[in-house]
């Protein structure tokens, strides 16, 4: 969004003038993340996580390209090639640990980014397209991460691929041929490993393209903010640089300290120990689980144990994908006039004491064995999860009485904004 008070880019020397005339990249950067992009003055640290997600995406691409130079996508040597990277390649261990833990941190910041959007209703008009592209990015991330989990060709890699691709067999009529087509055979083998490696290498660049669209869509209506009210005057905004570049830089520094702690001191903490055993199609692990960041959706998949019209396996597959697809419809399910959860007392209660605990329960059950009482608990949590989005949220948006909103962002920050009410040239009024 271009506000009338946005600063114009002015080249300072002959070279910059030449670039601005022939290839205006400096102008693009200035207007996108520089002083020429005014943003709400009340953005909290929760708005840092979009930048952190971008950083971890770049980290994954850079480390992934380096690892791909040494990895061999062949079932006979894939496991050994990973060990070769770890033990024989200069700094290979660092690239591998940074890539493996970077995937986990990427999902951590994305989950916080998503739940910030849910609490502050960032999906509401006029920002629906930003939200929809964001959900597409999340689906692409899940596909990329799953295929990356297969590449080390350990026990969990092989059996995870077997279980997840086996979900396609639940589709009536075309399920089993589709599974065979995806794997290139009746079980994960060379064909599947080659395909997953190719797609795992390609999809991060697709994600990067979607991120560009995501940022482009963001710049049309402008950033949301914790108060949920739109920008009304210049006093509501600050230039992105230097104020938020400094804030994002501080947040990135803190995130890197935590990330490096895991890379250097706890590199295998977020992985599964069985993946350090080479894949053996004749030995099934006692407890097959995906990576930890898929636990909630894995719990939803396993929550369906009874055939009802359709097979239980198909119900589980449909529910697992629907758990994410339901996010696409949030701009139309939540009809409340107020965005920010800070001014929605009923919504806030159901968010903090309903949705968040249920997600924690699903996370726990997804990593637990598929036995009682975990299956029953996942069934109850799954039922609430869908009720929250499909029933509770629409009802809340219809019956809730929101708290009074501040007139402007400046009023939300400073307590009074007479200039916004009366105009920029208004005389001060005693309060």
């Amino acid at each position: 969004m271009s506000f009338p008070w946005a600063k114009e880019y002015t080249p300072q020397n002959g070279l910059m003038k030449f670039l601005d005339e022939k290839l205006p990249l400096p102008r693009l950067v200035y207007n996108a993340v520089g002083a020429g992009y005014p943003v709400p003055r009340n953005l909290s640290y929760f708005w840092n996580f979009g930048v952190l997600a971008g950083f971890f995406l770049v980290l994954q691409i850079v480390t992934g390209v380096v690892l791909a130079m040494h990895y061999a996508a062949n079932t006979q040597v894939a496991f050994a090639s990973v060990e070769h990277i770890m033990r024989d390649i200069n700094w290979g261990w660092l690239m591998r640990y940074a890539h493996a833990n970077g995937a986990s941190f990427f999902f951590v910041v994305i989950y916080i980014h998503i739940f910030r959007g849910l609490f502050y209703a960032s999906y509401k008009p006029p920002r629906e397209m930003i939200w929809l592209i964001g959900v597409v990015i999340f689906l692409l991330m899940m596909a990329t991460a799953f295929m990356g989990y297969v590449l080390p060709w350990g026990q969990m890699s092989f059996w995870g691929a077997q279980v997840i691709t086996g979900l396609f067999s639940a589709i009536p009529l075309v399920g089993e041929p589709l599974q065979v087509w995806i794997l290139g055979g009746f079980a994960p083998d060379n064909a599947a490993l080659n395909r997953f490696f190719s797609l795992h290498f390609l999809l991060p660049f697709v994600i990067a393209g979607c991120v560009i669209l995501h940022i482009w869509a963001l710049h049309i209506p402008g950033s949301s903010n914790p108060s949920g009210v739109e920008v009304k005057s210049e006093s509501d905004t600050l230039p992105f640089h230097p104020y938020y570049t400094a804030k994002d830089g501080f947040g990135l520094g803190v995130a890197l300290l935590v990330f490096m702690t895991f890379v250097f001191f706890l590199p295998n903490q977020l992985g599964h120990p069985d993946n350090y055993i080479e894949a053996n199609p004749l030995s099934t692990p006692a407890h097959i689980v995906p990576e930890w960041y898929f636990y909630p959706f894995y719990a939803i998949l396993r929550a369906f144990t009874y055939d009802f019209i359709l097979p239980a396996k198909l119900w589980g597959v449909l529910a697992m994908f629907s758990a994410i697809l339901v996010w696409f419809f949030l701009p139309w399910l939540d009809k409340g006039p107020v965005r920010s959860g800070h001014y929605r007392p009923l919504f806030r209660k159901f968010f903090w004491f309903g949705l968040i605990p249920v997600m924690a329960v699903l996370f726990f059950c997804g990593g637990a064995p598929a036995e009682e009482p975990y299956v029953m608990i996942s069934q109850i949590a799954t039922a609430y999860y869908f009720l929250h989005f499909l029933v509770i949220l629409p009802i809340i948006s219809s019956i809730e009485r929101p708290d009074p909103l501040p007139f402007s962002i400046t009023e939300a920050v400073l307590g009074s904004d007479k200039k916004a009410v009366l105009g920029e040239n208004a005389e001060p009024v005693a309060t």
Side-chain angles (χ1 to χ4, degrees):
M1 173 177 284
S2 179
F3 295 111
W5 55 86
K7 295 181 180 179
E8 287 292 328
Y9 175 70
T10 306
Q12 298 298 316
N13 55 57
L15 175 61
M16 300 309 289
K17 289 178 182 178
F18 176 80
L19 281 176
D20 189 51
E21 181 181 348
K22 303 300 181 182
L23 187 65
L25 283 176
R27 179 178 293 273
L28 175 66
V29 172
Y30 185 88
N31 291 333
V33 292
Y37 177 43
V39 290
R41 67 185 297 166
N42 62 336
L43 300 189
S44 67
Y45 278 106
F46 279 115
W47 269 256
N48 283 50
F49 287 90
V51 171
L52 294 180
F55 169 80
F56 282 109
L57 174 60
V58 172
L59 177 73
Q60 291 304 95
I61 291 174
V62 171
T63 55
V65 168
V66 174
L67 291 172
M69 295 175 184
H70 304 279
Y71 175 76
N74 184 292
T75 56
Q76 300 300 313
V77 295
F79 186 85
S81 74
V82 174
E83 292 303 306
H84 169 64
I85 291 169
M86 292 290 293
R87 300 171 189 275
D88 301 328
I89 303 299
N90 290 335
W91 303 104
W93 62 271
L94 180 60
M95 292 293 105
R96 165 93 191 291
Y97 282 150
H99 194 72
N101 287 283
S104 291
F105 273 75
F106 195 9
F107 273 92
V108 167
V109 299
I110 284 294
Y111 278 130
I112 295 173
H113 193 56
I114 289 171
F115 280 89
R116 187 270 294 170
L118 290 174
F119 183 75
Y120 292 106
S122 298
Y123 48 78
K124 283 180 175 288
R127 298 178 179 85
E128 308 100 308
M129 187 54 66
I130 308 170
W131 177 260
L132 298 180
I133 296 173
V135 177
V136 170
I137 292 172
F138 183 68
L139 288 170
L140 290 170
M141 282 178 59
M142 294 184 76
T144 306
F146 160 67
M147 287 181 281
Y149 193 43
V150 176
L151 300 186
W153 208 241
Q155 273 289 73
M156 279 298 156
S157 296
F158 176 86
W159 290 101
Q162 179 77 355
V163 169
I164 298 303
T165 57
L167 299 178
F168 290 98
S169 65
I171 302 172
L173 301 178
V174 300
E176 290 189 12
L178 182 61
Q179 180 188 2
V180 172
W181 177 72
I182 290 170
L183 289 176
F186 294 98
D189 209 334
N190 254 340
L193 186 60
N194 272 283
R195 294 172 186 190
F196 287 178
F197 174 61
S198 299
L199 290 172
H200 182 71
F201 191 91
L202 170 67
L203 285 180
F205 297 99
V206 178
I207 292 172
C210 290
V211 168
I212 292 171
L213 292 178
H214 190 60
I215 297 171
W216 188 2
L218 170 68
H219 278 69
I220 293 171
S223 296
S224 60
N225 64 88
S227 67
V229 299
E230 294 295 340
V231 170
K232 291 183 171 65
S233 67
E234 185 176 0
S235 62
D236 289 341
T237 64
L238 292 171
F240 190 85
H241 178 77
Y243 297 99
Y244 287 109
T245 49
K247 194 169 187 176
D248 287 335
F250 175 77
L252 178 60
V254 173
L256 283 175
L257 285 174
V258 179
F259 175 63
M260 290 304 175
T261 300
F262 275 85
V263 170
F264 291 113
F265 300 105
L266 302 165
N268 299 304
Q269 191 69 31
L270 300 175
H272 199 286
D274 279 9
N275 231 27
Y276 277 93
I277 303 170
E278 190 169 3
N280 183 358
L282 302 179
S283 175
T284 308
H287 180 35
I288 301 173
V289 292
E291 284 281 51
W292 68 267
Y293 36 77
F294 292 150
Y295 281 178
F297 305 103
Y298 192 54
I300 291 172
L301 169 70
R302 298 190 314 188
F304 291 82
T305 55
Y306 299 100
D307 295 343
F308 178 71
I309 303 176
L310 299 174
K313 185 177 181 181
L314 181 57
W315 279 119
V317 173
L318 293 173
M320 182 179 69
F321 285 107
S322 298
I324 301 170
L325 295 178
V326 71
W327 295 349
F328 276 108
F329 301 97
L330 284 178
W332 300 277
L333 288 171
D334 185 0
K335 293 292 187 180
V338 174
R339 294 189 184 91
S340 175
H342 287 311
Y343 302 97
R344 303 177 66 182
L346 195 56
F347 169 87
R348 190 165 61 243
K349 288 182 176 66
F350 277 98
F351 182 87
W352 289 115
F353 301 110
L355 181 61
I356 297 298
V358 158
M359 290 300 295
V361 168
L362 287 171
F363 175 84
F364 174 75
C365 291
E371 58 189 33
E372 297 298 348
Y374 306 115
V375 173
M376 183 183 67
I377 294 171
S378 348
Q379 290 168 342
I380 296 169
T382 299
Y384 181 86
Y385 178 89
F386 285 102
L387 280 173
H388 180 88
F389 289 113
L390 298 175
V391 178
I392 295 173
L393 190 60
I395 291 175
I396 287 175
S397 64
S398 300
I399 67 172
E400 184 177 45
R401 286 189 173 185
D403 294 335
L405 286 173
F407 176 80
S408 66
I409 294 170
T410 303
E411 184 176 314
V413 175
L414 302 178
S416 179
D417 189 11
K418 297 300 181 181
K419 285 190 175 183
V421 177
L422 302 174
E424 289 294 327
N425 298 319
E427 293 295 327
V429 179
T431 57

